[in-house]
């Protein structure tokens, strides 16, 4: 189906739905690299105007990537909930934006329609929204998940404690874990990106974290972010696995590049559920995504990178994750060039994920070859916290010495808690108080050498 | 109130810093970073940014190479400047037409190994580490009877640029020395990529990589030893890439090192 929009005497024509979506996307380097971006600023706005007139139903009739060749498309179409979609089925994309911003779209209503929204609908409406719209509507969405604590409750923000070390040195990792816990971080998960792919090494890391968690009765979950097939094998061998991690993308071919399929994820999901290690809930999956991953694998099928990203959320939604994290600035400037593009992408990802009913977090981050710095991260952190993000990343001093990029620090989380009055997951907050790490107001208490957690490591104080 | 400093809250676990280079036990003012750490971080980031954006001084490096007895040839990728280089990795993988023609027109002697030096994402890495590594490696090559070709010094280069250089000179193996994506604590880390039978279109899985080459990381003697081992093994097997496992040492660090280099590919 062809789409057109006239601006004065000039008629813009868009060959199909995926072209229209790509041309309507706010400028980013990855779409330019793919040759999909609007050629002029005016063409971009004309595309938005044409997109505003497209009925939401059109996305159920015209698949961006053919049903026959892509299992993500099949998942999206086959799992679409027509009853949930019914209340918005008469709207165009432009009407949908107006409706989302209206009082009619309450938290309860948004929760009910989520299964009726496809990734393409969410991506489309986000392209018509300004940053403030992305923030306001996301803040109305609520997605609560649970394993050993409860994440996503209103007025709360969780942190993944990321104690990476370039050689997986157990003392180095334990030192960073201790630092994070004493800064009040770690309620989303304590999660290590391992340097090694060896099953024995990953097993040791799982045991290290599990022993600390058990010894101090920390109400949180742990994870080693290794390939899903490694985790499935480790579950089989009896390792203490709380969460299954995997990077995912929005097309079957891109997922194949990651060495995964829906069937592989299904097997891991069932294996983790069988362990029944959650105490207050059974969300056992942890996914990471990021705009540009499909293009980087040469598997984007001419679909813009933001729409591909939201399609990855359909994959995640299938497995009811505890956490899903868009690693927004990690991929580099050929996909998101500068702070402006990274901030926009972070807000889009969070909004689209929440609209689909996912427990979105964000690794607010950048690399040293991107045109970005800590001020940009401060901006995105503040905006996402205002938008009600479920969790962020905590790295000592924002400097990940294993993955060589900058994320957010434990101090950054304290800043945004103090600014916006955000609390931690309730079970974790209570534990911090009991450990005398925080006071009743959630603020850090001054520590002494008698802090019991310091016994985690000899010679700590 | 006489000469009172604002209260910083120290962390009584500073001792743990001996276990990790991570920025732990930073202390705080309220919940925020103390001034010294904020500025220290800014300095590290500034050095990493400068490593990315400072142009490689091809003339100075070529002079130094010639003085050390190598033949240096300048080249440039299709990326005109840093801004384009950062957004168009495909341009950084190909020679610009002028460079291609100039290299193609040169008389060629048969060679077994050809070096290409590319700025990649850190000119500092190249200016500091490229020549010392070559000097450390040369005795190994001479002992094993390798015929050494010229050294192409390329600006705005990505790893695969060496494939096109290799097509022109037809060495058995091309070795690319390239500046890696700078980390906050490593603005000058060099990567080495080895490709057997270079031609345009080689995949990353057909190369071997040595990462984090610098005195504070993998030092020159260790890097040269590892590179010499891989070169000999590659010549023996007739390939590089996933079919050539680095068994030059028992280290488990290879996987970690290889991750650091992804951004220059």
């Amino acid at each position: 189906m062809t789409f057109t929009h006239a601006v004065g005497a000039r008629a813009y024509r868009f060959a199909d739905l995926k072209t229209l979506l790509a041309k309507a996307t706010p400028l980013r380097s990855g779409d330019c690299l793919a040759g999909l971006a609007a050629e002029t600023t005016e063409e971009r706005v004309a595309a938005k105007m044409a997109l505003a007139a497209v009925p939401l139903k059109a996305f159920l009739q015209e698949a961006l990537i053919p049903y026959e060749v892509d299992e993500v498309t099949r998942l999206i179409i086959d799992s679409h909930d027509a009853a949930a979609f019914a209340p918005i089925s008469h709207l165009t994309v432009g009407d949908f934006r107006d409706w989302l911003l209206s009082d009619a779209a309450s938290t309860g209503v948004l929760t009910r329609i989520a299964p009726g929204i496809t990734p393409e609908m969410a991506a489309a409406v986000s392209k018509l929204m300004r940053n403030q719209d992305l923030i306001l509507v996301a803040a109305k969405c609520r997605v609560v998940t649970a394993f050993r604590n409860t994440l996503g409750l209103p007025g709360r923000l969780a942190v993944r404690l990321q104690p990476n070390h370039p050689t997986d040195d157990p003392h180095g990792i334990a030192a960073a874990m201790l630092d994070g816990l004493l800064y009040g971080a770690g309620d989303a998960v304590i999660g290590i990106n391992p340097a090694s792919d060896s099953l024995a090494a990953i097993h040791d890391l799982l045991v290290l974290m599990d022993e600390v968690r058990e010894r101090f009765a920390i109400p949180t979950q742990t994870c080693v972010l290794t390939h899903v097939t490694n985790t499935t094998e480790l579950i089989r061998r009896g390792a203490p696995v709380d969460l299954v991690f995997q990077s995912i993308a929005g097309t079957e071919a891109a997922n194949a590049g990651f060495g995964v399929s829906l069937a592989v994820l299904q097997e891991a999901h069932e294996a983790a559920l069988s362990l029944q290690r959650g105490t207050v809930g059974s969300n056992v999956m942890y996914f990471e995504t990021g705009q540009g991953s499909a293009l980087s694998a040469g598997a984007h099928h001419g679909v813009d990178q933001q729409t591909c990203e939201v399609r990855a959320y359909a994959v995640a939604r299938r497995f009811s994750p505890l956490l899903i994290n868009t690693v927004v600035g990690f991929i580099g400037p050929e996909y998101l060039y500068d702070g402006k593009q990274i901030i926009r992408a972070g807000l889009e990802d969070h909004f689209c994920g929440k609209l689909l009913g996912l427990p979105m977090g964000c690794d607010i981050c950048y690399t040293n070859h991107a045109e970005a710095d800590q001020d940009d991260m401060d901006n995105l952190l503040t905006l996402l916290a205002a938008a009600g993000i479920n969790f962020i990343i905590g790295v000592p001093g924002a400097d990940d010495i294993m993955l060589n990029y900058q994320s957010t620090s434990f101090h950054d989380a304290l800043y945004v808690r103090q600014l916006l009055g955000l609390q931690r997951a309730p079970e974790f907050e209570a534990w911090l108080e009991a450990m005398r790490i925080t006071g009743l107001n959630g603020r850090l208490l001054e520590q002494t050498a008698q802090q019991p957690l310091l016994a985690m490591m000899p010679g700590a104080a | 109130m006489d000469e009172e400093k604002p209260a910083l809250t120290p962390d009584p676990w500073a001792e743990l810093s001996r276990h990790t280079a991570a920025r732990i036990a930073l202390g705080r003012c309220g919940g925020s970073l103390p001034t010294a750490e904020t500025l220290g971080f800014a300095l590290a980031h500034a050095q990493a940014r400068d490593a990315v954006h400072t142009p490689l001084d091809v003339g100075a490096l070529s002079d130094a190479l010639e003085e050390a007895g190598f033949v240096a040839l300048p080249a440039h990728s299709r990326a005109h400047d840093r801004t384009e280089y950062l957004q168009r990795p495909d341009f950084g993988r190909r020679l610009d037409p002028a460079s291609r023609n100039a290299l193609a027109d040169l008389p060629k002697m048969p060679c077994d190994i050809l070096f290409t030096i590319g700025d990649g994402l850190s000119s500092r890495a190249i200016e500091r580490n490229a020549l010392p590594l070559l000097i450390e490696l040369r005795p190994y090559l001479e002992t094993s009877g390798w015929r050494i070709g010229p050294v192409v010094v390329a600006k705005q280069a990505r790893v695969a640029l060496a494939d096109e250089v290799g097509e022109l000179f037809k060495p058995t193996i091309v070795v690319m020395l390239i500046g890696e994506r700078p980390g906050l604590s490593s603005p000058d880390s060099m990567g080495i990529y080895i490709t057997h039978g270079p031609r345009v279109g080689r995949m990353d899985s057909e190369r071997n990589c040595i990462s984090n080459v610098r005195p504070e990381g993998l030092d020159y003697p260790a890097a040269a030893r590892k590179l010499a081992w891989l070169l000999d093994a590659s010549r023996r097997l007739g390939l590089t890439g996933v079919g050539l496992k680095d068994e030059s040492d028992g280290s488990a660090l290879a996987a970690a090192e290889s991750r650091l280099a992804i951004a220059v590919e």
Side-chain angles (χ1 to χ4, degrees), chain A residues 166-167 171-172 178-179 183 194 334 337 366 368-371 374 396-397 399 401 403-404 406 411 445 459-461, chain B residues 11-13 15-16 19 22-25 27-28 31 41 45 49 53 83 86-88 181-184 253 256 259-260:
Chain A
T167 61
H171 290 98
L178 185 62
D179 194 65
Y183 269 85
E334 62 268 44
Y337 182 63
Y366 65 105
N368 286 319
H369 61 320
E371 293 293 319
Q374 293 304 111
D399 173 11
I401 58 169
L403 295 171
N404 258 340
Q406 284 89 255
H411 294 75
L445 295 174
Chain B
D11 294 328
W13 56 93
E15 166 70 13
L16 293 184
H19 294 299
R23 293 169 192 256
I24 64 167
R28 54 193 173 84
F41 187 101
H45 185 237
R49 296 282 297 155
H53 288 278
T83 303
L86 290 172
Q87 295 184 74
R88 293 302 301 261
R181 191 182 83 197
L184 278 194
L253 298 185
R259 287 200 183 195
L260 304 179

Side-chain angles (χ1 to χ4, degrees), chain A residues 112-135:
Chain A
R112 283 196 292 281
I113 65 161
I117 300 172
T118 66
E120 290 81 0
M121 294 174 195
V125 74
S126 78
K127 295 175 194 298
L128 307 185
M129 295 170 84
R130 285 173 42 196
N131 286 3
Q132 66 164 264
D133 304 338
L134 299 173
I135 293 168

